[in-house]
Amino acid sequence: AILGLDDCAAGIKTWKAVMIGAGKLGSTLLQYNELQKRGFEILAVFDKSPSTSAYARLVQRELLDSSITVSPITELETVLEEKPIDIAILAVPEDEAQDIADRVIKAGVRAILNFVPVQLLVPPEVKVRTVDIIAELQSLTYHLHQAEKAEGEN
């Protein structure tokens, strides 16, 4: 099965993940309940400003009920040593992405879901999927423009 999807759907396998970056995008991803339902368990969340992150502010204002606390990014390696993690999800500023990727790889993480619009340099055994929302929108608008041009020629 691709990425163990059958095992996740059957409840056989749960993939352990960490979220790095609890700003607007990270907090939105953390609120997506389908992750847990589909076999992805977020075990830890990190941010360079944990008490003032967008996610922490939602919890503090009781707009979100969560058992996940946001930890300082300085604790990343310690937590990764204590908990076996399959996937790191990155939602950090562009200039921090490569350093964070290097740190999680050094700690043994072998898969990264990257929401930062930069190409990460990783060893061949580490799998990375980059989700670049702007690039995807630009691709769609290119196709829309091509369709408009074709309609105009008819």
Side-chain angles (χ1 to χ4, degrees):
I2 298 174
L3 299 177
L5 292 178
D6 289 343
D7 290 344
C8 287
I12 297 168
K13 173 77 175 165
T14 298
W15 297 98
K16 309 293 185 193
V18 294
M19 173 70 68
I20 304 167
K24 291 178 183 176
L25 179 57
S27 67
T28 299
L29 294 168
L30 287 166
Q31 293 175 66
Y32 186 55
N33 294 330
E34 288 298 312
L35 290 174
Q36 183 92 22
K37 292 178 186 175
R38 304 290 176 130
F40 300 96
E41 182 180 5
I42 307 293
L43 295 181
V45 179
F46 299 93
D47 197 89
K48 65 181 176 183
S49 303
S51 62
T52 58
S53 68
Y55 188 76
R57 286 193 311 265
L58 288 171
V59 173
Q60 289 163 0
R61 294 192 329 227
E62 297 180 359
L63 299 173
L64 183 63
D65 181 26
S66 176
S67 60
I68 299 175
T69 58
V70 181
S71 300
I73 193 68
T74 55
E75 296 178 9
L76 179 64
E77 287 82 358
T78 303
V79 172
L80 293 179
E81 285 177 18
E82 296 170 356
K83 299 178 182 182
I85 298 298
D86 302 302
I87 303 167
I89 304 169
L90 302 188
V92 299
E94 288 182 37
D95 62 341
E96 297 174 20
Q98 186 64 56
D99 177 59
I100 297 293
D102 293 343
R103 291 170 65 187
V104 299
I105 292 166
K106 187 175 179 184
V109 174
R110 293 291 172 248
I112 298 172
L113 180 58
N114 178 28
F115 283 92
V116 186
V118 296
Q119 183 173 356
L120 299 173
L121 303 174
V122 302
E125 68 273 11
V126 176
K127 303 305 173 207
V128 176
R129 295 290 299 181
T130 298
V131 180
D132 184 339
I133 295 167
I134 298 299
E136 297 301 329
L137 287 168
Q138 288 172 332
S139 175
L140 287 171
T141 58
Y142 169 81
H143 292 291
L144 288 173
H145 180 71
Q146 294 302 315
E148 288 174 354
K149 277 178 47 177
E151 288 173 5
E153 292 172 2
N154 292 334

Short mmCIF file of all heavy atoms in Angstrom, two decimals, residues 20-82:
data_model
loop_
_atom_site.label_atom_id
_atom_site.label_comp_id
_atom_site.label_asym_id
_atom_site.label_seq_id
_atom_site.Cartn_x
_atom_site.Cartn_y
_atom_site.Cartn_z
N ILE A 20 6.28 21.47 13.56
CA ILE A 20 7.27 22.49 13.90
C ILE A 20 6.82 23.79 13.25
O ILE A 20 6.80 23.92 12.03
CB ILE A 20 8.67 22.08 13.44
CG1 ILE A 20 9.01 20.71 14.05
CG2 ILE A 20 9.69 23.14 13.85
CD1 ILE A 20 10.21 20.04 13.47
N GLY A 21 6.40 24.70 14.11
CA GLY A 21 5.81 25.96 13.68
C GLY A 21 4.34 25.97 14.06
O GLY A 21 3.55 25.21 13.52
N ALA A 22 3.99 26.79 15.04
CA ALA A 22 2.61 26.84 15.53
C ALA A 22 2.01 28.21 15.27
O ALA A 22 1.19 28.70 16.04
CB ALA A 22 2.55 26.51 17.02
N GLY A 23 2.41 28.82 14.16
CA GLY A 23 1.83 30.09 13.74
C GLY A 23 0.48 29.84 13.09
O GLY A 23 -0.19 28.85 13.38
N LYS A 24 0.09 30.72 12.19
CA LYS A 24 -1.24 30.61 11.58
C LYS A 24 -1.40 29.31 10.80
O LYS A 24 -2.39 28.60 10.96
CB LYS A 24 -1.51 31.81 10.68
CG LYS A 24 -1.69 33.10 11.45
CD LYS A 24 -1.90 34.28 10.54
CE LYS A 24 -2.00 35.56 11.35
NZ LYS A 24 -2.12 36.72 10.48
N LEU A 25 -0.43 28.98 9.94
CA LEU A 25 -0.55 27.75 9.16
C LEU A 25 -0.44 26.52 10.04
O LEU A 25 -1.27 25.60 9.95
CB LEU A 25 0.51 27.71 8.06
CG LEU A 25 0.51 26.46 7.18
CD1 LEU A 25 -0.85 26.26 6.50
CD2 LEU A 25 1.61 26.53 6.15
N GLY A 26 0.55 26.49 10.91
CA GLY A 26 0.71 25.35 11.81
C GLY A 26 -0.51 25.12 12.68
O GLY A 26 -0.97 23.99 12.86
N SER A 27 -1.08 26.19 13.22
CA SER A 27 -2.25 26.04 14.08
C SER A 27 -3.46 25.57 13.29
O SER A 27 -4.27 24.79 13.78
CB SER A 27 -2.56 27.33 14.85
OG SER A 27 -2.98 28.35 13.99
N THR A 28 -3.57 26.01 12.04
CA THR A 28 -4.66 25.53 11.19
C THR A 28 -4.52 24.03 10.94
O THR A 28 -5.49 23.27 11.04
CB THR A 28 -4.69 26.30 9.85
OG1 THR A 28 -4.89 27.68 10.15
CG2 THR A 28 -5.79 25.80 8.94
N LEU A 29 -3.31 23.59 10.64
CA LEU A 29 -3.08 22.17 10.42
C LEU A 29 -3.36 21.35 11.68
O LEU A 29 -3.92 20.26 11.61
CB LEU A 29 -1.65 21.93 9.95
CG LEU A 29 -1.29 22.51 8.58
CD1 LEU A 29 0.22 22.47 8.37
CD2 LEU A 29 -2.02 21.77 7.48
N LEU A 30 -2.99 21.89 12.83
CA LEU A 30 -3.23 21.18 14.09
C LEU A 30 -4.71 21.03 14.40
O LEU A 30 -5.11 20.11 15.11
CB LEU A 30 -2.53 21.91 15.24
CG LEU A 30 -1.02 21.77 15.26
CD1 LEU A 30 -0.41 22.79 16.21
CD2 LEU A 30 -0.63 20.36 15.66
N GLN A 31 -5.52 21.93 13.88
CA GLN A 31 -6.97 21.86 14.12
C GLN A 31 -7.68 20.91 13.16
O GLN A 31 -8.87 20.65 13.31
CB GLN A 31 -7.57 23.25 14.01
CG GLN A 31 -7.10 24.18 15.10
CD GLN A 31 -7.62 25.58 14.89
OE1 GLN A 31 -8.82 25.81 14.98
NE2 GLN A 31 -6.73 26.51 14.60
N TYR A 32 -6.96 20.39 12.18
CA TYR A 32 -7.55 19.51 11.17
C TYR A 32 -7.73 18.12 11.77
O TYR A 32 -6.80 17.33 11.86
CB TYR A 32 -6.65 19.49 9.94
CG TYR A 32 -7.22 18.73 8.77
CD1 TYR A 32 -8.48 19.04 8.25
CD2 TYR A 32 -6.51 17.71 8.17
CE1 TYR A 32 -9.00 18.35 7.18
CE2 TYR A 32 -7.01 17.02 7.09
CZ TYR A 32 -8.26 17.34 6.60
OH TYR A 32 -8.77 16.65 5.53
N ASN A 33 -8.95 17.79 12.19
CA ASN A 33 -9.25 16.55 12.89
C ASN A 33 -9.02 15.30 12.05
O ASN A 33 -8.87 14.20 12.60
CB ASN A 33 -10.68 16.57 13.41
CG ASN A 33 -10.89 17.62 14.47
OD1 ASN A 33 -9.97 17.94 15.21
ND2 ASN A 33 -12.08 18.18 14.54
N GLU A 34 -9.02 15.42 10.74
CA GLU A 34 -8.84 14.26 9.89
C GLU A 34 -7.47 13.61 10.06
O GLU A 34 -7.32 12.42 9.78
CB GLU A 34 -9.06 14.63 8.42
CG GLU A 34 -10.50 14.90 8.06
CD GLU A 34 -11.41 13.69 8.26
OE1 GLU A 34 -11.07 12.57 7.81
OE2 GLU A 34 -12.48 13.86 8.89
N LEU A 35 -6.47 14.37 10.50
CA LEU A 35 -5.15 13.78 10.69
C LEU A 35 -5.23 12.57 11.62
O LEU A 35 -4.74 11.49 11.29
CB LEU A 35 -4.17 14.81 11.25
CG LEU A 35 -3.74 15.93 10.30
CD1 LEU A 35 -2.89 16.95 11.04
CD2 LEU A 35 -2.99 15.37 9.12
N GLN A 36 -5.83 12.76 12.77
CA GLN A 36 -5.95 11.68 13.75
C GLN A 36 -6.82 10.55 13.19
O GLN A 36 -6.47 9.38 13.33
CB GLN A 36 -6.57 12.22 15.05
CG GLN A 36 -6.66 11.20 16.15
CD GLN A 36 -5.44 11.19 17.04
OE1 GLN A 36 -4.72 12.17 17.12
NE2 GLN A 36 -5.20 10.10 17.73
N LYS A 37 -7.91 10.89 12.55
CA LYS A 37 -8.80 9.88 12.00
C LYS A 37 -8.13 9.03 10.94
O LYS A 37 -8.49 7.88 10.73
CB LYS A 37 -10.05 10.54 11.40
CG LYS A 37 -10.97 11.17 12.42
CD LYS A 37 -12.14 11.84 11.72
CE LYS A 37 -13.01 12.61 12.68
NZ LYS A 37 -14.08 13.36 11.98
N ARG A 38 -7.16 9.62 10.24
CA ARG A 38 -6.48 8.92 9.15
C ARG A 38 -5.17 8.26 9.58
O ARG A 38 -4.38 7.83 8.75
CB ARG A 38 -6.19 9.88 7.99
CG ARG A 38 -7.40 10.58 7.45
CD ARG A 38 -8.30 9.62 6.70
NE ARG A 38 -9.51 10.29 6.26
CZ ARG A 38 -9.97 10.24 5.04
NH1 ARG A 38 -9.38 9.52 4.13
NH2 ARG A 38 -11.07 10.88 4.73
N GLY A 39 -4.92 8.20 10.88
CA GLY A 39 -3.76 7.47 11.36
C GLY A 39 -2.51 8.28 11.59
O GLY A 39 -1.41 7.73 11.67
N PHE A 40 -2.65 9.61 11.72
CA PHE A 40 -1.49 10.47 11.97
C PHE A 40 -1.66 11.13 13.33
O PHE A 40 -2.59 11.91 13.54
CB PHE A 40 -1.36 11.53 10.87
CG PHE A 40 -1.18 10.92 9.51
CD1 PHE A 40 -2.26 10.76 8.68
CD2 PHE A 40 0.07 10.48 9.09
CE1 PHE A 40 -2.12 10.17 7.43
CE2 PHE A 40 0.22 9.90 7.84
CZ PHE A 40 -0.88 9.74 7.00
N GLU A 41 -0.77 10.82 14.24
CA GLU A 41 -0.86 11.35 15.61
C GLU A 41 0.25 12.39 15.83
O GLU A 41 1.43 12.07 15.71
CB GLU A 41 -0.71 10.21 16.62
CG GLU A 41 -0.84 10.66 18.05
CD GLU A 41 -0.70 9.52 19.03
OE1 GLU A 41 -0.40 8.39 18.64
OE2 GLU A 41 -0.88 9.80 20.24
N ILE A 42 -0.17 13.61 16.13
CA ILE A 42 0.79 14.67 16.43
C ILE A 42 1.17 14.53 17.91
O ILE A 42 0.36 14.75 18.79
CB ILE A 42 0.19 16.08 16.17
CG1 ILE A 42 -0.39 16.19 14.76
CG2 ILE A 42 1.24 17.16 16.45
CD1 ILE A 42 0.61 16.12 13.64
N LEU A 43 2.41 14.14 18.15
CA LEU A 43 2.87 13.91 19.52
C LEU A 43 3.45 15.14 20.18
O LEU A 43 3.49 15.22 21.41
CB LEU A 43 3.91 12.79 19.55
CG LEU A 43 3.41 11.40 19.15
CD1 LEU A 43 4.55 10.40 19.24
CD2 LEU A 43 2.25 10.98 20.03
N ALA A 44 3.93 16.07 19.38
CA ALA A 44 4.55 17.27 19.96
C ALA A 44 4.47 18.41 18.95
O ALA A 44 4.42 18.18 17.74
CB ALA A 44 6.01 17.00 20.32
N VAL A 45 4.45 19.62 19.50
CA VAL A 45 4.42 20.83 18.68
C VAL A 45 5.50 21.76 19.20
O VAL A 45 5.67 21.92 20.41
CB VAL A 45 3.04 21.54 18.78
CG1 VAL A 45 3.02 22.80 17.94
CG2 VAL A 45 1.93 20.60 18.38
N PHE A 46 6.23 22.38 18.26
CA PHE A 46 7.33 23.27 18.63
C PHE A 46 7.19 24.61 17.93
O PHE A 46 6.71 24.69 16.81
CB PHE A 46 8.67 22.64 18.22
CG PHE A 46 8.93 21.33 18.88
CD1 PHE A 46 8.56 20.15 18.25
CD2 PHE A 46 9.52 21.27 20.12
CE1 PHE A 46 8.78 18.93 18.86
CE2 PHE A 46 9.74 20.06 20.74
CZ PHE A 46 9.37 18.88 20.11
N ASP A 47 7.65 25.64 18.62
CA ASP A 47 7.66 26.98 18.04
C ASP A 47 8.75 27.77 18.75
O ASP A 47 9.06 27.49 19.92
CB ASP A 47 6.30 27.66 18.21
CG ASP A 47 6.13 28.86 17.29
OD1 ASP A 47 5.66 28.66 16.16
OD2 ASP A 47 6.49 29.98 17.71
N LYS A 48 9.32 28.76 18.05
CA LYS A 48 10.36 29.56 18.71
C LYS A 48 9.76 30.50 19.75
O LYS A 48 10.46 30.96 20.64
CB LYS A 48 11.20 30.32 17.68
CG LYS A 48 10.49 31.35 16.89
CD LYS A 48 11.43 32.01 15.90
CE LYS A 48 10.69 32.99 15.03
NZ LYS A 48 11.59 33.57 14.02
N SER A 49 8.46 30.78 19.66
CA SER A 49 7.77 31.60 20.66
C SER A 49 6.52 30.85 21.11
O SER A 49 5.40 31.21 20.76
CB SER A 49 7.37 32.94 20.05
OG SER A 49 8.50 33.61 19.54
N PRO A 50 6.70 29.79 21.90
CA PRO A 50 5.57 28.91 22.21
C PRO A 50 4.39 29.58 22.92
O PRO A 50 3.24 29.27 22.62
CB PRO A 50 6.17 27.82 23.09
CG PRO A 50 7.48 28.34 23.55
CD PRO A 50 7.93 29.35 22.54
N SER A 51 4.65 30.50 23.82
CA SER A 51 3.54 31.09 24.58
C SER A 51 2.76 32.12 23.79
O SER A 51 1.62 32.44 24.12
CB SER A 51 4.05 31.70 25.88
OG SER A 51 4.95 32.75 25.61
N THR A 52 3.36 32.64 22.72
CA THR A 52 2.67 33.66 21.92
C THR A 52 2.33 33.17 20.51
O THR A 52 1.87 33.94 19.68
CB THR A 52 3.52 34.95 21.81
OG1 THR A 52 4.78 34.62 21.21
CG2 THR A 52 3.73 35.57 23.17
N SER A 53 2.52 31.87 20.25
CA SER A 53 2.19 31.34 18.92
C SER A 53 0.68 31.43 18.70
O SER A 53 -0.11 31.50 19.64
CB SER A 53 2.65 29.88 18.81
OG SER A 53 1.88 29.06 19.66
N ALA A 54 0.30 31.43 17.44
CA ALA A 54 -1.13 31.51 17.11
C ALA A 54 -1.91 30.37 17.77
O ALA A 54 -3.01 30.57 18.29
CB ALA A 54 -1.33 31.48 15.59
N TYR A 55 -1.33 29.18 17.78
CA TYR A 55 -2.00 28.03 18.39
C TYR A 55 -2.16 28.22 19.89
O TYR A 55 -3.25 27.99 20.44
CB TYR A 55 -1.21 26.75 18.08
CG TYR A 55 -1.91 25.50 18.49
CD1 TYR A 55 -2.98 25.01 17.74
CD2 TYR A 55 -1.53 24.80 19.63
CE1 TYR A 55 -3.63 23.85 18.10
CE2 TYR A 55 -2.17 23.63 19.99
CZ TYR A 55 -3.22 23.16 19.23
OH TYR A 55 -3.88 22.01 19.60
N ALA A 56 -1.10 28.64 20.57
CA ALA A 56 -1.16 28.86 22.02
C ALA A 56 -2.19 29.94 22.37
O ALA A 56 -2.92 29.81 23.36
CB ALA A 56 0.21 29.24 22.56
N ARG A 57 -2.27 30.99 21.55
CA ARG A 57 -3.25 32.06 21.81
C ARG A 57 -4.68 31.52 21.70
O ARG A 57 -5.55 31.89 22.49
CB ARG A 57 -3.03 33.23 20.87
CG ARG A 57 -1.80 34.06 21.23
CD ARG A 57 -1.75 35.39 20.49
NE ARG A 57 -1.97 35.28 19.06
CZ ARG A 57 -1.00 35.19 18.15
NH1 ARG A 57 0.26 35.19 18.53
NH2 ARG A 57 -1.29 35.10 16.88
N LEU A 58 -4.92 30.64 20.73
CA LEU A 58 -6.27 30.04 20.60
C LEU A 58 -6.61 29.22 21.83
O LEU A 58 -7.74 29.27 22.33
CB LEU A 58 -6.35 29.17 19.35
CG LEU A 58 -6.36 29.89 18.01
CD1 LEU A 58 -6.21 28.89 16.87
CD2 LEU A 58 -7.62 30.71 17.85
N VAL A 59 -5.65 28.44 22.32
CA VAL A 59 -5.88 27.62 23.51
C VAL A 59 -6.09 28.51 24.73
O VAL A 59 -7.01 28.30 25.53
CB VAL A 59 -4.71 26.63 23.73
CG1 VAL A 59 -4.85 25.91 25.06
CG2 VAL A 59 -4.63 25.64 22.58
N GLN A 60 -5.25 29.56 24.89
CA GLN A 60 -5.35 30.46 26.04
C GLN A 60 -6.70 31.17 26.08
O GLN A 60 -7.26 31.38 27.15
CB GLN A 60 -4.23 31.50 26.00
CG GLN A 60 -2.87 30.91 26.29
CD GLN A 60 -1.73 31.83 25.85
OE1 GLN A 60 -1.95 32.91 25.32
NE2 GLN A 60 -0.51 31.39 26.06
N ARG A 61 -7.22 31.55 24.92
CA ARG A 61 -8.51 32.24 24.87
C ARG A 61 -9.68 31.26 24.88
O ARG A 61 -10.82 31.64 24.71
CB ARG A 61 -8.57 33.13 23.63
CG ARG A 61 -7.57 34.26 23.70
CD ARG A 61 -7.75 35.34 22.66
NE ARG A 61 -8.29 34.91 21.38
CZ ARG A 61 -7.81 35.25 20.19
NH1 ARG A 61 -6.75 36.01 20.12
NH2 ARG A 61 -8.38 34.84 19.09
N GLU A 62 -9.36 29.97 25.08
CA GLU A 62 -10.36 28.90 25.14
C GLU A 62 -11.20 28.81 23.86
O GLU A 62 -12.35 28.40 23.89
CB GLU A 62 -11.24 29.04 26.38
CG GLU A 62 -10.44 28.92 27.67
CD GLU A 62 -11.28 29.06 28.92
OE1 GLU A 62 -12.50 29.28 28.82
OE2 GLU A 62 -10.70 28.94 30.01
N LEU A 63 -10.58 29.19 22.74
CA LEU A 63 -11.23 29.03 21.44
C LEU A 63 -10.92 27.65 20.86
O LEU A 63 -11.48 27.25 19.85
CB LEU A 63 -10.76 30.11 20.47
CG LEU A 63 -11.08 31.54 20.89
CD1 LEU A 63 -10.43 32.54 19.96
CD2 LEU A 63 -12.59 31.75 20.93
N LEU A 64 -10.04 26.95 21.55
CA LEU A 64 -9.62 25.64 21.10
C LEU A 64 -9.35 24.78 22.32
O LEU A 64 -8.67 25.21 23.24
CB LEU A 64 -8.34 25.80 20.26
CG LEU A 64 -7.74 24.58 19.62
CD1 LEU A 64 -8.71 24.00 18.59
CD2 LEU A 64 -6.45 24.97 18.91
N ASP A 65 -9.90 23.59 22.33
CA ASP A 65 -9.67 22.66 23.42
C ASP A 65 -8.60 21.68 22.96
O ASP A 65 -8.83 20.91 22.04
CB ASP A 65 -10.96 21.92 23.78
CG ASP A 65 -10.78 20.97 24.93
OD1 ASP A 65 -9.86 21.19 25.75
OD2 ASP A 65 -11.53 19.97 25.01
N SER A 66 -7.44 21.75 23.57
CA SER A 66 -6.35 20.90 23.11
C SER A 66 -5.50 20.40 24.26
O SER A 66 -5.23 21.12 25.20
CB SER A 66 -5.46 21.67 22.14
OG SER A 66 -4.37 20.88 21.77
N SER A 67 -5.09 19.15 24.13
CA SER A 67 -4.18 18.59 25.12
C SER A 67 -2.73 18.76 24.67
O SER A 67 -1.80 18.44 25.40
CB SER A 67 -4.48 17.10 25.31
OG SER A 67 -4.33 16.43 24.08
N ILE A 68 -2.53 19.27 23.46
CA ILE A 68 -1.18 19.48 22.94
C ILE A 68 -0.66 20.83 23.42
O ILE A 68 -1.30 21.85 23.23
CB ILE A 68 -1.16 19.45 21.40
CG1 ILE A 68 -1.64 18.10 20.89
CG2 ILE A 68 0.23 19.76 20.88
CD1 ILE A 68 -1.76 18.03 19.39
N THR A 69 0.51 20.81 24.05
CA THR A 69 1.15 22.07 24.45
C THR A 69 2.25 22.38 23.44
O THR A 69 2.86 21.48 22.87
CB THR A 69 1.74 21.99 25.86
OG1 THR A 69 2.69 20.92 25.89
CG2 THR A 69 0.67 21.76 26.91
N VAL A 70 2.49 23.65 23.24
CA VAL A 70 3.53 24.08 22.33
C VAL A 70 4.82 24.23 23.12
O VAL A 70 4.88 24.96 24.11
CB VAL A 70 3.16 25.42 21.65
CG1 VAL A 70 4.25 25.84 20.67
CG2 VAL A 70 1.81 25.30 20.94
N SER A 71 5.85 23.52 22.70
CA SER A 71 7.14 23.54 23.38
C SER A 71 8.12 24.44 22.64
O SER A 71 8.00 24.64 21.43
CB SER A 71 7.73 22.12 23.42
OG SER A 71 6.86 21.26 24.11
N PRO A 72 9.11 24.94 23.35
CA PRO A 72 10.13 25.76 22.68
C PRO A 72 10.94 24.90 21.70
O PRO A 72 11.22 23.73 21.97
CB PRO A 72 11.02 26.24 23.82
CG PRO A 72 10.40 25.80 25.09
CD PRO A 72 9.33 24.83 24.78
N ILE A 73 11.32 25.49 20.59
CA ILE A 73 12.08 24.78 19.56
C ILE A 73 13.41 24.28 20.12
O ILE A 73 13.97 23.31 19.61
CB ILE A 73 12.27 25.66 18.31
CG1 ILE A 73 12.77 24.84 17.12
CG2 ILE A 73 13.19 26.83 18.59
CD1 ILE A 73 11.80 23.84 16.59
N THR A 74 13.89 24.89 21.19
CA THR A 74 15.15 24.45 21.80
C THR A 74 15.03 23.05 22.40
O THR A 74 16.05 22.40 22.63
CB THR A 74 15.58 25.44 22.91
OG1 THR A 74 14.51 25.59 23.84
CG2 THR A 74 15.95 26.79 22.32
N GLU A 75 13.81 22.56 22.63
CA GLU A 75 13.60 21.23 23.19
C GLU A 75 13.42 20.15 22.11
O GLU A 75 13.18 18.99 22.42
CB GLU A 75 12.38 21.23 24.11
CG GLU A 75 12.55 22.11 25.32
CD GLU A 75 11.30 22.15 26.21
OE1 GLU A 75 10.36 21.37 25.98
OE2 GLU A 75 11.29 22.98 27.14
N LEU A 76 13.54 20.54 20.84
CA LEU A 76 13.27 19.63 19.74
C LEU A 76 14.06 18.32 19.83
O LEU A 76 13.48 17.23 19.82
CB LEU A 76 13.56 20.32 18.41
CG LEU A 76 13.34 19.49 17.14
CD1 LEU A 76 11.87 19.11 16.98
CD2 LEU A 76 13.82 20.28 15.92
N GLU A 77 15.37 18.41 19.93
CA GLU A 77 16.19 17.20 19.95
C GLU A 77 15.89 16.32 21.15
O GLU A 77 15.84 15.09 21.03
CB GLU A 77 17.68 17.57 19.92
CG GLU A 77 18.16 18.06 18.57
CD GLU A 77 17.87 19.54 18.30
OE1 GLU A 77 17.26 20.22 19.14
OE2 GLU A 77 18.27 20.01 17.22
N THR A 78 15.66 16.93 22.31
CA THR A 78 15.35 16.16 23.52
C THR A 78 14.08 15.34 23.33
O THR A 78 14.04 14.14 23.64
CB THR A 78 15.19 17.10 24.73
OG1 THR A 78 16.39 17.86 24.87
CG2 THR A 78 14.91 16.32 25.99
N VAL A 79 13.05 15.96 22.80
CA VAL A 79 11.78 15.26 22.59
C VAL A 79 11.94 14.17 21.53
O VAL A 79 11.44 13.06 21.68
CB VAL A 79 10.65 16.25 22.21
CG1 VAL A 79 9.39 15.51 21.80
CG2 VAL A 79 10.37 17.18 23.38
N LEU A 80 12.66 14.47 20.46
CA LEU A 80 12.85 13.48 19.40
C LEU A 80 13.66 12.28 19.89
O LEU A 80 13.49 11.17 19.39
CB LEU A 80 13.51 14.11 18.18
CG LEU A 80 12.66 15.13 17.42
CD1 LEU A 80 13.42 15.71 16.24
CD2 LEU A 80 11.33 14.55 16.98
N GLU A 81 14.53 12.48 20.86
CA GLU A 81 15.26 11.36 21.46
C GLU A 81 14.33 10.49 22.29
O GLU A 81 14.49 9.27 22.34
CB GLU A 81 16.40 11.87 22.34
CG GLU A 81 17.59 12.38 21.58
CD GLU A 81 18.65 12.95 22.51
OE1 GLU A 81 18.64 12.65 23.73
OE2 GLU A 81 19.51 13.70 22.01
N GLU A 82 13.34 11.11 22.95
CA GLU A 82 12.43 10.39 23.85
C GLU A 82 11.30 9.69 23.12
O GLU A 82 10.79 8.66 23.59
CB GLU A 82 11.83 11.37 24.86
CG GLU A 82 12.83 11.99 25.80
CD GLU A 82 12.24 13.12 26.63
OE1 GLU A 82 11.05 13.49 26.43
OE2 GLU A 82 12.97 13.66 27.48
#
